[in-house]
Amino acid sequence: MAAAASPASLDSAPRIMRLVAECSRSRARAGELRLPHGPVATPVFMPVGTQATMKGITAEQLDALGCRICLGNTYHLGLRPGPELIQKAHGLHGFMNWPHNLLTDSGGFQMVSLVSLSEVTEEGVRFRSPYDGDETLLSPEKSVQIQNALGSDIIMQLDDVVSSTVTGPRVEEAMYRSIRWLDRCIAAHRRPDKQNLFAIIQGGLDADLRATCLEEMTKRDVPGFAIGGLSGGESKAQFWKMVALSTSQLPKDKPRYLMGVGYATDLVVCVALGCDMFDCVFPTRTARFGSALVPTGNLQLKKKLFEKDFSPIDPECTCPTCQKHSRAFLHALLHSDNTAALHHLTVHNIAYQLQLMSAMRASIVEKRFPEFVRNFMGTMYGDPTLCPTWATEALASVGITLD
Amino acid sequence: MKLSLTKVVNGCRLGKIKNLGKTEDRTMDIPGCLLYTKTGSAPHLTHQMLQNIHGLPAMVQLTLSSLAEHHEVLAEYKEGVGKFIGMPESLLYCSLHDPVSHCPAGYVTNKSVSVWGIGGRVEMTVSKFMAIQQALQPDWFQCLSDGGASCEEATSMKRARKSVDRSLLFLDNCLRLQEESEVLQKSVIIGVIEGGDVMEERLRSARETAKRPVGGFLLDGFQGNPTTLDTRLHLLSSVTAELPEDKPRLVSGVSRPDEVLKCIERGVDLFESFFPYQVTERGCALTFSFDYQPNPEETLLQQNGTQEEIKCVDQIKKIKTTDCNQEMTSFEINLKEKKYQEDFNPLVRGCSCYCCKNHTRAYIHHLLVTNELLAGVLLMMHNFEHYFGFFHSIREALKSDRLAQLKELIHRQIP
């Protein structure tokens, strides 16, 4: 798959991304986003705080870990507590007292995840509330209206999302509809100076559909692009090809946000493929199941083998959990009913993700990214050559070899 | 360890306990409370969040019920439970049971006492108990004791007598084993006063326990609801009258503000702080006032607020509380109520806790309604800080001879 030259962006679109360095081999970039609530270094991992909270950790803890942007979810917040209340609370920032940046998803993904409760038409998505049975129509206009009330720094278009395992005409329908919905979102957006509306490239696993979507959407005047419709049940082999296709057609001077990706290996490969922003519930969710992320994979701390392990989760990690506590203590606490155990792991897992992105960025800036990738894979898989096939192929496609 | 009394006013003791801990240089104020923990950690709170709380007690309460099953791990660790749980600098008191979930009763024999952990029942003979304490190395620990006389509906004379006999036997055996243990030389055994509701047995327990070289006394069997405490207050006074003045008196299972005051008036020095935890678990925030000398404007505002809250108490009491089998008190507000949905005030105006400085009632309400974990974190921080502030005000009131005012203020807030 030869990398095509990226199309020139429209002159009038706001440039929120500044490129600081580019890898001379792969498509990896280091940059800085200029957002209303402060700068954000890229590549960046954005933890997901769905309902105006990062689960059990406070805004202060999140800030102390170096997080400068996190996610909220329009679907959930639109239902509870609702946009009117949040507006009264001075937006989502005011409501949850988060001083840095927020990105809100449009509610589109819930169409897939809550598919039994939803129905898609050209108008929008009709949802039946799981809480009170009420029906709501989430249209592109309504989604933007809610996000305008939330006041997030980056808002997402409402897209017609189909699961990546779906094939046939529905995928094409969803792709074209997403373009029409993008235009409706752009038209409805009341605060383009304060909130950056991103488009979301769809097209499923079909290269032609995706290419069409890319061609059309990049004609629109938006500050950034997300690559959507992936990170579902598709094979990794198909996944990376769609990511690579997307980054090859997206403008270089605008951020590329790959939605729903958060496993360490996936992050490293997709940075190599040219993505700048990522979000995923995985690190925070797996923490609440007692799993701690480490450079060699993860530690299931509830298991008996950690009962008498008096070392920290990761001796190299600088997070408060690793500074203060041993695996043995966390093991004991995880077997109690004290929720503090979950919070210790949430702190560590977010720290792990952020430290990974930071290390990647430094290696790009210092022109040693391919070496970083080799070391990473070596640590994760025992030997760089034991890296999964799809990752090896994806990396090779952008000039990084692992032996 | 040395207890110095600054003054005694109407039975209330104000003072300091000095030379505490392994380094013998720590101090604790009395009356005071101990930080409540579950499995060695404040509930919901990581170390970072705990450090945000102002007025943290110098001594932390650990429960054997949550730690006994980790005996082997701690024995292998060797460096003591304080370091294991990430609190190497704290003074540690190890009680037998968890005051919140102290059940079921029974399972005490002439040779053993059982505690209930997550993994089930752990039976301890004196030697096992002392072996566990050797692994824990706490600064103070409650001696193995028989609290069975107070768990039952009606204490029989026979049961009360047995509780005293057994507890004294356990005490003598534990003291003997302590002498033989190098590791436990710096730990202090707290003798336990038993005897159920039988005055004669209570007095016997107090007198006999006081003869032993214990570092302090735990008054066991006074837990229950406010009514049961009231019926036992005379027992409490009689017991403390028998105890030496220069050793601290702890009471287990009593943590409500009104009950705390009653016990202080009857010579108790130290309390457990599980009440703020129970309040947290039912989604409530402590809001009672302990500002016994506010400015007139503040008084008016407080009174208006309090009256409004008292009006709602009857309604509130109908709300089932899931987690602690306790009813909501008038010392708190229930953040789940719809009226807090758009209340952008802090939990308590003027409170300097992390939650009140950073968040609103509306936000806490949202977190509770959506079942988010952060609700527990924020409420725990506020409730602990509020509670520790109450104890500070008790000491200040005693210092300036204003305890009557504080007492009146507290009782004004109970309908």
Side-chain angles (χ1 to χ4, degrees):
Chain A
M1 185 159 301
S6 297
S9 304
L10 300 171
D11 288 335
S12 56
R15 297 291 186 279
I16 62 167
M17 172 130 153
R18 180 177 75 94
L19 280 178
V20 168
E22 290 177 79
C23 175
S24 54
R25 284 203 143 262
S26 68
R27 298 184 196 168
R29 311 112 64 75
E32 191 180 76
L33 291 172
R34 277 185 314 253
L35 294 170
H37 281 83
V40 176
T42 66
V44 64
F45 176 78
M46 305 179 286
V48 181
T50 310
Q51 301 194 102
T53 156
M54 192 54 61
K55 297 306 164 187
I57 73 170
T58 63
E60 182 193 77
Q61 282 174 297
L62 197 54
D63 165 271
L65 289 171
C67 177
R68 294 294 174 262
I69 180 169
C70 63
L71 258 71
N73 197 286
T74 299
Y75 171 79
H76 295 84
L77 295 169
L79 288 173
R80 304 185 298 188
E84 297 82 16
L85 181 77
I86 291 188
Q87 203 152 29
K88 283 184 193 165
H90 307 297
L92 190 52
H93 288 88
F95 186 58
M96 58 187 286
N97 200 16
W98 174 243
H100 305 299
N101 297 291
L102 286 166
L103 184 154
T104 45
D105 183 23
S106 58
F109 179 66
Q110 276 65 44
M111 284 193 265
V112 174
S113 61
L114 301 172
V115 69
S116 59
L117 296 171
S118 66
E119 192 207 337
V120 185
T121 63
E122 186 61 26
E123 223 191 338
V125 191
R126 203 166 289 279
F127 284 106
R128 214 171 2 96
S129 165
Y131 310 116
D132 53 18
D134 277 2
E135 271 202 7
T136 41
L137 173 70
L138 190 64
S139 62
E141 291 75 17
K142 181 91 178 138
S143 175
V144 169
Q145 184 189 31
I146 297 174
Q147 292 183 81
N148 282 157
L150 297 178
S152 35
D153 303 89
I154 298 176
I155 69 175
M156 305 304 296
Q157 72 156 109
L158 183 68
D159 47 346
D160 186 357
V161 189
V162 291
S163 161
S164 52
T165 53
V166 168
T167 52
R170 177 75 183 103
V171 183
E172 181 170 353
E173 177 193 54
M175 185 274 285
Y176 281 112
R177 181 171 290 143
S178 295
I179 300 171
R180 293 192 292 278
W181 282 4
L182 170 60
D183 288 339
R184 284 168 62 182
C185 285
I186 292 171
H189 188 20
R190 291 271 163 277
R191 311 175 74 221
D193 53 326
K194 284 255 153 53
Q195 299 179 273
N196 297 287
L197 173 63
F198 277 25
I200 307 179
I201 310 291
Q202 293 294 341
L205 302 173
D206 184 312
D208 291 329
L209 290 178
R210 214 163 254 277
T212 306
C213 198
L214 282 156
E215 192 182 329
E216 282 306 312
M217 285 193 174
T218 49
K219 290 178 188 165
R220 272 71 175 170
D221 193 1
V222 286
F225 295 92
I227 302 166
L230 299 174
S231 207
E234 77 277 2
S235 75
K236 279 296 204 289
Q238 297 168 299
F239 162 77
W240 82 258
K241 293 200 174 83
M242 290 299 105
V243 175
L245 168 60
S246 304
T247 57
S248 70
Q249 299 299 319
L250 285 169
K252 271 197 162 190
D253 57 353
K254 291 184 177 178
R256 296 93 169 259
Y257 165 27
L258 182 55
M259 306 183 82
V261 168
Y263 291 144
T265 300
D266 300 1
L267 291 172
V268 172
V269 171
C270 293
V271 165
L273 295 179
C275 298
D276 308 304
M277 303 163 66
F278 306 86
D279 81 284
C280 192
V281 294
F282 169 69
T284 40
R285 182 173 290 169
T286 206
R288 299 193 300 282
F289 287 101
S291 174
L293 300 176
V294 289
T296 50
N298 66 78
L299 308 177
Q300 301 291 335
L301 289 175
K302 281 181 167 174
K303 293 219 155 112
K304 201 158 163 69
L305 82 110
F306 296 109
E307 195 188 27
K308 295 178 184 173
D309 187 344
F310 302 121
S311 56
I313 292 171
D314 180 358
E316 306 290 307
C317 179
T318 56
C319 86
T321 303
C322 291
Q323 293 302 295
K324 206 124 183 89
H325 298 298
S326 65
R327 298 168 180 191
F329 172 64
L330 294 168
H331 170 89
L333 201 59
L334 281 166
H335 282 283
S336 78
D337 57 353
N338 192 336
T339 69
L342 311 178
H343 310 326
H344 283 301
L345 292 195
T346 303
V347 163
H348 168 78
N349 283 1
I350 292 178
Y352 171 82
Q353 298 285 109
L354 299 184
Q355 279 166 150
L356 174 63
M357 302 314 282
S358 200
M360 262 200 276
R361 186 178 198 268
S363 76
I364 298 167
V365 168
E366 291 162 28
K367 306 202 174 323
R368 49 176 179 83
F369 178 68
E371 190 192 318
F372 173 90
V373 176
R374 275 190 285 275
N375 287 336
F376 173 86
M377 295 302 174
T379 307
M380 184 63 78
Y381 298 103
D383 191 88
T385 58
L386 295 175
C387 173
T389 315
W390 75 268
T392 312
E393 286 176 357
L395 291 166
S397 80
V398 288
I400 297 184
T401 52
L402 294 178
D403 39 27
Chain B
M1 176 171 108
K2 184 172 152 49
L3 189 154
S4 326
L5 288 174
T6 314
K7 70 205 289 195
V8 181
V9 174
N10 291 332
C12 309
R13 296 147 51 92
L14 176 71
K16 287 188 192 298
I17 309 176
K18 299 179 185 162
N19 309 330
L20 284 162
K22 309 274 179 8
T23 46
E24 294 178 13
D25 60 356
R26 307 289 304 280
T27 305
M28 201 157 64
D29 290 319
I30 58 164
C33 64
L34 314 176
L35 178 72
Y36 174 69
T37 64
K38 287 160 72 73
T39 312
S41 164
H44 304 301
L45 303 179
T46 63
H47 179 84
Q48 242 185 332
M49 292 301 100
L50 184 64
Q51 294 313 303
N52 274 340
I53 300 176
H54 304 104
L56 275 179
M59 187 174 272
V60 172
Q61 175 190 8
L62 304 173
T63 60
L64 206 53
S65 50
S66 65
L67 295 172
E69 56 202 310
H70 303 293
H71 173 206
E72 248 186 63
V73 177
L74 287 158
E76 194 166 313
Y77 183 67
K78 289 188 180 56
E79 297 180 73
V81 72
K83 200 159 169 225
F84 182 72
I85 61 177
M87 297 197 200
E89 303 296 311
S90 295
L91 294 169
L92 302 172
Y93 163 67
C94 184
S95 67
L96 263 184
H97 302 288
D98 185 324
V100 172
S101 44
H102 176 18
C103 55
Y107 293 96
V108 183
T109 71
N110 287 336
K111 289 204 172 359
S112 72
V113 174
S114 293
V115 291
W116 294 83
I118 296 279
R121 184 165 77 98
V122 178
E123 187 174 6
M124 298 178 293
T125 56
V126 166
S127 27
K128 178 157 183 186
F129 172 78
M130 290 303 279
I132 295 174
Q133 296 298 348
Q134 289 209 93
L136 294 173
Q137 297 151 42
D139 296 291
W140 291 3
F141 62 94
Q142 171 185 353
C143 191
L144 197 66
S145 56
D146 177 4
S150 310
C151 285
E152 288 144 38
E153 279 300 315
T155 325
S156 68
M157 174 62 138
K158 194 170 160 192
R159 188 65 186 86
R161 189 178 300 142
K162 210 190 269 193
S163 73
V164 178
D165 290 338
R166 277 181 180 157
S167 301
L168 287 168
L169 184 62
F170 291 149
L171 177 57
D172 289 337
N173 284 324
C174 287
L175 284 165
R176 186 177 41 79
L177 284 176
Q178 186 190 27
E179 265 177 57
E180 296 164 20
S181 160
E182 196 184 319
V183 148
L184 284 177
Q185 288 312 303
K186 296 243 172 187
S187 300
V188 166
I189 295 186
I190 303 293
V192 188
I193 313 298
E194 296 290 351
D197 291 336
V198 180
M199 177 66 87
E200 192 183 310
E201 288 305 311
R202 281 282 176 185
L203 293 175
R204 182 168 75 96
S205 181
R207 287 170 191 148
E208 286 301 315
T209 309
K211 289 179 186 167
R212 275 73 171 167
V214 292
F217 303 92
L218 175 68
L219 281 50
D220 192 19
F222 291 93
Q223 48 267 55
N225 56 54
T227 337
T228 56
L229 179 67
D230 281 336
T231 60
R232 290 169 172 161
L233 287 175
H234 67 292
L235 279 172
L236 194 59
S237 314
S238 307
V239 165
T240 54
E242 302 291 329
L243 299 175
E245 281 188 354
D246 64 347
K247 289 184 180 176
R249 299 91 175 264
L250 300 84
V251 71
S252 58
V254 175
S255 191
R256 273 176 51 131
D258 50 335
E259 298 180 332
V260 162
L261 287 174
K262 286 179 183 155
C263 290
I264 289 175
E265 285 177 319
R266 286 159 182 84
V268 178
D269 304 321
L270 293 165
F271 299 81
E272 299 162 322
S273 61
F274 60 88
F275 177 67
Y277 168 68
Q278 291 173 312
V279 173
T280 301
E281 293 309 281
R282 46 182 179 250
C284 294
L286 289 175
T287 52
F288 72 97
S289 172
F290 44 80
D291 188 2
Y292 56 92
Q293 38 179 33
N295 61 57
E297 276 160 34
E298 199 54 54
T299 315
L300 207 59
L301 286 165
Q302 287 283 12
Q303 278 175 349
N304 289 341
T306 318
Q307 271 155 20
E308 202 192 286
E309 263 125 38
I310 287 175
K311 261 186 239 156
C312 300
V313 160
D314 288 327
Q315 256 178 314
I316 291 162
K317 282 203 158 142
K318 287 186 194 133
I319 294 168
K320 286 271 179 287
T321 59
T322 48
D323 289 347
C324 284
N325 293 326
Q326 293 274 328
E327 275 184 351
M328 190 177 141
T329 67
S330 52
F331 299 116
E332 57 204 82
I333 54 174
N334 181 354
L335 270 305
K336 285 199 193 103
E337 284 179 45
K338 222 162 153 54
K339 66 178 183 180
Y340 297 116
Q341 200 176 47
E342 294 201 11
D343 188 341
F344 295 114
N345 291 304
L347 292 175
V348 171
R349 186 184 30 236
C351 176
S352 54
C353 84
Y354 177 84
C355 182
C356 290
K357 292 225 108 109
N358 288 288
H359 296 294
T360 61
R361 293 171 169 194
Y363 184 58
I364 307 291
H365 172 86
H366 165 73
L367 294 175
L368 286 165
V369 161
T370 54
N371 262 314
E372 284 285 345
L373 288 167
L374 191 62
V377 176
L378 294 176
L379 283 174
M380 190 75 265
M381 288 203 276
H382 168 78
N383 288 336
F384 267 148
E385 183 148 341
H386 195 90
Y387 192 72
F388 301 150
F390 167 60
F391 270 88
H392 177 80
S393 78
I394 296 176
R395 294 188 289 269
E396 290 300 302
L398 281 171
K399 232 178 262 178
S400 52
D401 287 311
R402 307 281 206 110
L403 192 71
Q405 259 135 299
L406 177 57
K407 193 175 159 186
E408 198 250 338
L409 173 61
I410 297 296
H411 282 276
R412 221 191 305 144
Q413 295 174 80
I414 305 173

